[in-house]
Amino acid sequence: LRNLIQEEQNNITRIAEVRHNLELLQERLTTLEGEKQERLRIVKYVGMKEAELDNKPLLLDRIERKIRDLDVEKAGIITKKAALEKQYRQLKEGKTMELPANVQEYFEENGIESYYGMEWLTKNGRSAEENATLVAKNPFIPYAIVMEQDMFERFRNTEKELYTSFPIPIILRGDLEKSVEDMQGSITTYGNIHFFLKFNYHLLNKEELLKMLSQLDKEIVTVEKQIADKTADIHTFSAYKLKIESQIYCKSLYEKTQKEMQIAQQEKESLVLRQKDIKEAKEENTIEQKDTNKKIEESKERIRIYGDRKQEFEILCDKYAIYETNQKTLHREQKEIEEWQQKQINMEKEIEELASELE
């Protein structure tokens, strides 16, 4: 029984250890399963096959490539947004072109005043039809800057080296209503240089301009949403990258954990069955112990009875010994009596014989 109790205590300790180990293994397996499902979802977004799920370096490379592609796409959309915003601003401010920054800065530093031809068309107080007639006569007006004669002379005589990436048309204020002589459709010719100019006359109509601004505003909102979507996608894939970097999942570890769980579960079941056997053995042992104790008590009772009987027997033996002694004494005395009686008889015979002789 002592061995069964010791084994039972050892099993209880081991079962607790195995259960704790099973909890840790289950926690690890749950983590690995979650990471596996996460990878199954991610690989679809980076053009990988499910069979490549275990290839962590390749997956990270594909995610980084996806992030770079998204960054490029986002940069392109940001450029598009900047162009739309520039176009919106130019239309709203009456500009169809902008001076290079170095030229604008030179004008401001030297007090050279100028304004854009488109700006003049929207603020000159004339009707859309009148301005259309002016543009038809000189199609450069919307694409040029306008200067007074004195400002133009100051600018023309500058000694500063101002480099430009495109030509800057300049029209003198007094020449705005003059016609360009050599025009054929959308082609305007100066000397041996030909310019293709196709002006959007809707820009001269306030209602049409407002419609164009409204459309541009919608396009800007759409582009902003596209930027936000790309930013969200970049954040999402960056989060994917961090997740994959921190993951411990691999097929071998997953299968190893499953195998360890199976072994631990089998050991637990074996221990539980053994505990059941020990319990039954203890119960049987308890019954046997009770029977043994009962027999011991019965034996003790018999021993007590036998002890009492032995004592009585010993007393009887003592009495019997006394009896035997008494019997021996009695027998001896009887013999002595018999001898004395015989002697008496003999004496009586002798007396009778003497008496006879005397007669």
Side-chain angles (χ1 to χ4, degrees):
L1 180 62
R2 187 181 297 108
N3 291 337
L4 287 174
I5 292 173
Q6 183 60 50
E7 185 181 357
E8 182 181 42
Q9 291 299 322
N10 291 340
N11 283 353
I12 289 172
T13 301
R14 183 55 187 162
I15 287 172
E17 291 173 352
V18 172
R19 281 178 176 166
H20 179 65
N21 189 36
L22 275 170
E23 289 175 0
L24 294 177
L25 288 170
Q26 182 60 59
E27 184 179 343
R28 187 204 297 171
L29 188 64
T30 300
T31 299
L32 290 171
E33 182 62 35
E35 291 180 353
K36 178 182 178 182
Q37 295 303 318
E38 187 73 26
R39 286 198 190 186
L40 284 171
R41 186 165 61 88
I42 294 173
V43 294
K44 297 176 182 177
Y45 300 139
V46 293
M48 287 178 62
K49 298 177 181 178
E50 187 174 329
E52 299 173 312
L53 193 67
D54 206 33
N55 194 336
K56 183 176 179 178
L58 177 61
L59 180 55
L60 286 171
D61 180 70
R62 290 291 181 85
I63 292 174
E64 289 171 356
R65 186 188 304 175
K66 182 69 175 179
I67 293 172
R68 290 194 298 270
D69 291 343
L70 288 169
D71 280 330
V72 171
E73 292 171 9
K74 179 182 175 182
I77 298 172
I78 290 174
T79 300
K80 180 180 178 181
K81 176 176 177 282
L84 288 171
E85 288 175 336
K86 179 179 179 180
Q87 185 180 358
Y88 182 91
R89 185 177 63 255
Q90 288 177 338
L91 288 178
K92 193 172 183 180
E93 295 175 357
K95 302 176 183 177
T96 52
M97 55 87 71
E98 279 188 336
L99 286 173
N102 60 334
V103 175
Q104 182 68 45
E105 183 180 350
Y106 177 80
F107 281 2
E108 292 172 358
E109 289 176 353
N110 293 275
I112 298 176
E113 297 177 359
S114 67
Y115 46 91
Y116 294 97
M118 189 65 202
E119 184 182 6
W120 178 78
L121 288 171
T122 57
K123 296 179 180 180
N124 62 14
R126 303 187 185 189
S127 66
E129 291 76 10
E130 291 174 324
N131 282 326
T133 301
L134 286 173
V135 173
K137 291 166 59 178
N138 188 349
F140 276 97
I141 293 177
Y143 309 103
I145 60 171
V146 180
M147 285 185 175
E148 297 292 343
Q149 182 69 45
D150 58 337
M151 295 296 170
F152 174 70
E153 293 298 333
R154 288 176 55 189
F155 181 50
R156 181 166 62 177
N157 295 324
T158 183
E159 295 181 356
K160 185 175 179 64
E161 295 182 347
L162 296 173
Y163 300 105
T164 61
S165 57
F166 57 88
I168 303 173
I170 301 173
I171 298 178
L172 297 178
R173 174 68 181 82
D175 296 335
L176 282 170
E177 298 189 33
K178 292 182 180 180
S179 299
V180 176
E181 296 180 357
D182 193 355
M183 288 190 302
Q184 294 182 5
S186 299
I187 302 297
T188 301
T189 302
Y190 283 91
N192 60 350
I193 300 176
H194 308 280
F195 297 91
F196 175 79
L197 299 171
K198 187 70 174 178
F199 180 67
N200 185 353
Y201 285 91
H202 292 297
L203 297 176
L204 300 175
N205 186 298
K206 289 185 178 181
E207 292 182 0
E208 293 295 331
L209 179 60
L210 289 174
K211 288 181 182 180
M212 293 176 68
L213 289 172
S214 177
Q215 181 59 36
L216 278 173
D217 190 54
K218 290 178 182 179
E219 291 181 21
I220 291 171
V221 170
T222 299
V223 169
E224 286 176 342
K225 184 179 182 306
Q226 292 174 349
I227 293 172
D229 290 343
K230 292 297 178 184
T231 301
D233 288 343
I234 291 170
H235 289 164
T236 297
F237 279 93
S238 296
Y240 288 163
K241 181 174 180 288
L242 292 175
K243 284 182 180 179
I244 299 300
E245 286 175 338
S246 64
Q247 281 186 355
I248 61 172
Y249 173 82
C250 66
K251 186 178 180 181
S252 59
L253 180 60
Y254 187 85
E255 292 176 349
K256 178 185 176 185
T257 303
Q258 287 181 317
K259 184 65 176 178
E260 288 177 357
M261 279 196 67
Q262 183 181 359
I263 294 172
Q265 186 63 37
Q266 289 173 349
E267 182 182 0
K268 176 189 168 186
E269 291 172 358
S270 176
L271 288 168
V272 170
L273 286 175
R274 180 56 187 155
Q275 285 296 84
K276 184 179 178 182
D277 292 341
I278 291 173
K279 182 180 179 182
E280 292 175 354
K282 282 177 63 181
E283 290 174 353
E284 291 175 1
N285 191 279
T286 300
I287 294 172
E288 291 176 0
Q289 187 68 41
K290 286 181 180 178
D291 291 341
T292 302
N293 290 338
K294 183 179 178 182
K295 290 178 181 178
I296 290 172
E297 292 300 321
E298 290 174 349
S299 298
K300 286 181 178 178
E301 181 62 20
R302 285 196 298 271
I303 291 170
R304 185 186 64 77
I305 294 171
Y306 291 152
D308 292 345
R309 289 180 179 179
K310 179 182 177 184
Q311 188 177 6
E312 291 175 356
F313 179 74
E314 288 175 349
I315 293 171
L316 181 61
C317 287
D318 290 342
K319 288 182 178 181
Y320 182 74
I322 294 170
Y323 168 76
E324 282 187 333
T325 302
N326 291 338
Q327 283 294 102
K328 288 179 179 178
T329 301
L330 180 60
H331 180 69
R332 186 177 68 254
E333 289 178 351
Q334 284 178 344
K335 187 175 180 181
E336 288 177 355
I337 291 171
E338 289 175 355
E339 288 177 353
W340 281 107
Q341 286 177 345
Q342 187 66 42
K343 286 180 177 180
Q344 185 177 0
I345 290 170
N346 291 335
M347 286 180 69
E348 286 178 355
K349 283 180 178 182
E350 288 179 359
I351 291 171
E352 287 178 357
E353 287 176 357
L354 284 175
S356 293
E357 291 176 359
L358 289 177
E359 290 177 359

